[in-house]
Every structure is written in C-alpha cells, then in structure tokens.
Amino acid sequence: MIAFTGVTALTVVLAAPAGGATATSSRPVVMAALGDSISAGFNACGWYVPCVSRSWSMGDHAFVQSHYLRLRSLDESLAWQNLNFAVPGATSADLAGQVEKAVARGADYVTILVGAQDACVSEERLMTPVNVYERRMAEALTLFRAGRPGGRVFVASIPDLKRLWRVGKGDLVARGFWAVGRICPTMLAKPASTSAADRARRDRVRARVAAYNAVLARLCVAYGPACRSDGNAVFNQSFTLGHLSKWDYFHPNEAGQKLIAQKTFEAARGWITGDDRQPIPVP
C-alpha cells in the first residue's frame, strides 16, 4: 500500500482561503484546457498532430460535444477563446507552466488531465514517483488558486493503461503500431507475452496510475468546493478499439474523445452549472 505522507501538509496549503473565495454560483466565462495529448486531441483527426477541435475539454466539433460546447449551450456568455494549453507528451512537471498561461488569460474554469506520460516511459524506474507527482500537482493547484481565487478546477482521472493493453493485445495492427512507435513501453512492450515478469510489470504500471488518480482525488477534496474530480470515471470506463485512433491505437479518436467528454461532464454538470455543490467522495 502506498502511503500518501504529504496529504496532511498539502491539505493545509490548498484549504479554502479566508473570506470564502471558492466556487461561485455563476457559470464560467473563460475556460481553459490543461494537460497532455488527450486534452490536445492528438491523433483524433490527423496523422500525429494535435486536433484541438476534437478535444473532450475545449473542442468545438459538434460530434464530440466537449465541456465547452455543453456549457456554451447552457450559457452563451461563455466566450470562445482557443485556450487549449494541453501539450502532447506533457507530464505533471509541465502543469504549473500551463496554469500560469491560463491565469494570465483570466480562465475561471480549467480542466486538467495529466499523468499518463508520467507512467508511459521507456523503463519502469523512470516513472514519476507518486510523491513527486503529488508535489507537482499540489503546486499547480496552488498557483491556480493564487492567481484565480474564484476559479474552478475539474480534474479528470488518468485512463487505465492496462485496459488499453487488454483491448489491443490481440490485434496485430495495434501491436505493430505499439512496437514501431515504442508507445508506452512500460505497459505495451511485449503485448502478447504471458510470462510472470510481464504480467507483474503491467500490474505495477497500473498500480502507479491508480496511485496518481488517488492523489488527484485527495488534492481535489483538499482544494475545496471549487474543485471537482470525476470519481475515477475515465479510469473505470470501458472502451473498445473503435474508440482509439487508427494512427497509433493509443490516443482516443473522435468517438473516444466524445466518450470522455460525456463521462466527465456527467461528473461536472451540476457542480459547474451551479445546481450542485457536493464534492464526489474520494475513492
């Protein structure tokens, strides 16, 4: 079991400031997407390029029905600005810089999905330690609170990488892309292997992602009512090869982005629209 020794101290840092500057009843006016390739829509509509129009968070493509479009349909005061600061390949180390950009542009609602690349590295020993991931995420949230004390944060869980392996391991084309592109070797190397060592490796990588998600949920609770996590909705979500980009069999395609948008907005809707202020319990 992983001990989250920093949680007590981080709770103090992220506790709601005096004066009650947390979530307000008003809907957001300026929205920004933060994170990695998933929020950037990477490979969702082209060959190895970001496709922000298909982003589950900030996309303006009607099929995906992103958070932005769903909120826009409820309140047209949500102005369209292309504030998608998510970067393919980003890790938790990059989040603070993205937060600074969002603060500078006056974002009062940000979505965060980052962490897959902290686990998807060439060797297990290079995965971001849980305590380092926790520190980086806490620093980024503290920056946002300091810069936008009335702003709100939605935190999406990191997808289950072992579920991805399970979905694609029997497909020759998927295995070929994983091998040629050296995609997420910690999980996807030797995808057809049933050896005890490879099974244990996959389990350890999955456990690391689960630990990152536990950190996200705890930090969101510590942040207070101005933060909402998805309650592990993305991590627990079933999907098929039909939700994956045919360019790499790793990133979500349009259908995958739509699924993420749907499941995460179900967790955020009442909270972000002002109809519900109850936080989702920590898993």
Side-chain angles (χ1 to χ4, degrees), residues 185-205:
T186 44
M187 178 60 72
L188 302 178
K190 301 179 182 178
S193 172
T194 59
S195 73
D198 287 319
R199 292 200 307 269
R201 165 178 54 85
R202 295 179 197 120
D203 287 343
R204 288 191 297 271
V205 176

Side-chain angles (χ1 to χ4, degrees), residues 29-43:
V29 175
V30 180
M31 177 183 172
L34 313 179
D36 56 24
S37 52
I38 297 179
S39 295
F42 189 78
N43 273 1

Side-chain angles (χ1 to χ4, degrees), residues 163-209:
R163 190 186 301 271
L164 172 70
W165 163 78
R166 190 177 296 116
V167 164
K169 67 183 176 67
D171 188 274
L172 288 173
V173 177
R175 296 206 307 261
F177 272 98
W178 294 348
V180 172
R182 289 188 55 78
I183 296 171
C184 196
T186 44
M187 178 60 72
L188 302 178
K190 301 179 182 178
S193 172
T194 59
S195 73
D198 287 319
R199 292 200 307 269
R201 165 178 54 85
R202 295 179 197 120
D203 287 343
R204 288 191 297 271
V205 176
R206 185 179 190 272
R208 183 63 59 93
V209 171

Side-chain angles (χ1 to χ4, degrees), residues 159-169 178 187 206 234-240 244:
D160 185 347
L161 299 175
K162 189 175 181 183
R163 190 186 301 271
L164 172 70
W165 163 78
R166 190 177 296 116
V167 164
K169 67 183 176 67
W178 294 348
M187 178 60 72
R206 185 179 190 272
V234 174
F235 181 79
N236 292 331
Q237 179 60 46
S238 297
F239 55 87
T240 69
L244 300 178

Side-chain angles (χ1 to χ4, degrees), residues 70-265:
R70 292 170 188 260
L71 288 169
R72 176 77 174 173
S73 70
L74 296 171
D75 190 342
E76 293 187 359
S77 65
L78 179 61
W80 167 248
Q81 299 181 58
N82 187 19
L83 303 187
N84 192 329
F85 300 118
V87 178
T91 70
S92 56
D94 302 301
L95 187 60
Q98 295 179 17
V99 166
E100 290 176 347
K101 293 178 181 178
V103 167
R105 297 295 295 272
D108 53 11
Y109 174 51
V110 298
T111 65
I112 297 174
L113 174 48
V114 69
Q117 295 301 323
D118 288 87
C120 281
V121 286
S122 58
E123 302 176 49
E124 275 188 81
R125 65 181 180 84
L126 299 177
M127 292 192 298
T128 302
V130 177
N131 65 325
V132 174
Y133 181 83
E134 182 177 37
R135 173 176 53 78
R136 291 171 176 172
M137 298 304 296
E139 289 172 352
L141 289 172
T142 300
L143 277 174
F144 185 71
R145 162 152 282 163
R148 300 293 296 165
R152 280 173 277 186
V153 183
F154 180 81
V155 181
S157 54
I158 305 158
D160 185 347
L161 299 175
K162 189 175 181 183
R163 190 186 301 271
L164 172 70
W165 163 78
R166 190 177 296 116
V167 164
K169 67 183 176 67
D171 188 274
L172 288 173
V173 177
R175 296 206 307 261
F177 272 98
W178 294 348
V180 172
R182 289 188 55 78
I183 296 171
C184 196
T186 44
M187 178 60 72
L188 302 178
K190 301 179 182 178
S193 172
T194 59
S195 73
D198 287 319
R199 292 200 307 269
R201 165 178 54 85
R202 295 179 197 120
D203 287 343
R204 288 191 297 271
V205 176
R206 185 179 190 272
R208 183 63 59 93
V209 171
Y212 293 161
N213 283 333
V215 164
L216 294 174
R218 289 169 185 262
L219 291 179
C220 197
V221 168
Y223 198 97
C227 185
R228 170 61 60 94
S229 71
D230 73 355
N232 262 359
V234 174
F235 181 79
N236 292 331
Q237 179 60 46
S238 297
F239 55 87
T240 69
L241 284 178
H243 293 106
L244 300 178
S245 170
K246 297 304 184 287
W247 304 124
D248 60 11
Y249 289 85
F250 180 77
H251 291 93
N253 60 15
E254 282 186 348
Q257 291 282 349
K258 180 176 183 176
L259 183 63
I260 295 173
Q262 176 188 349
K263 294 302 177 180
T264 54
F265 199 76

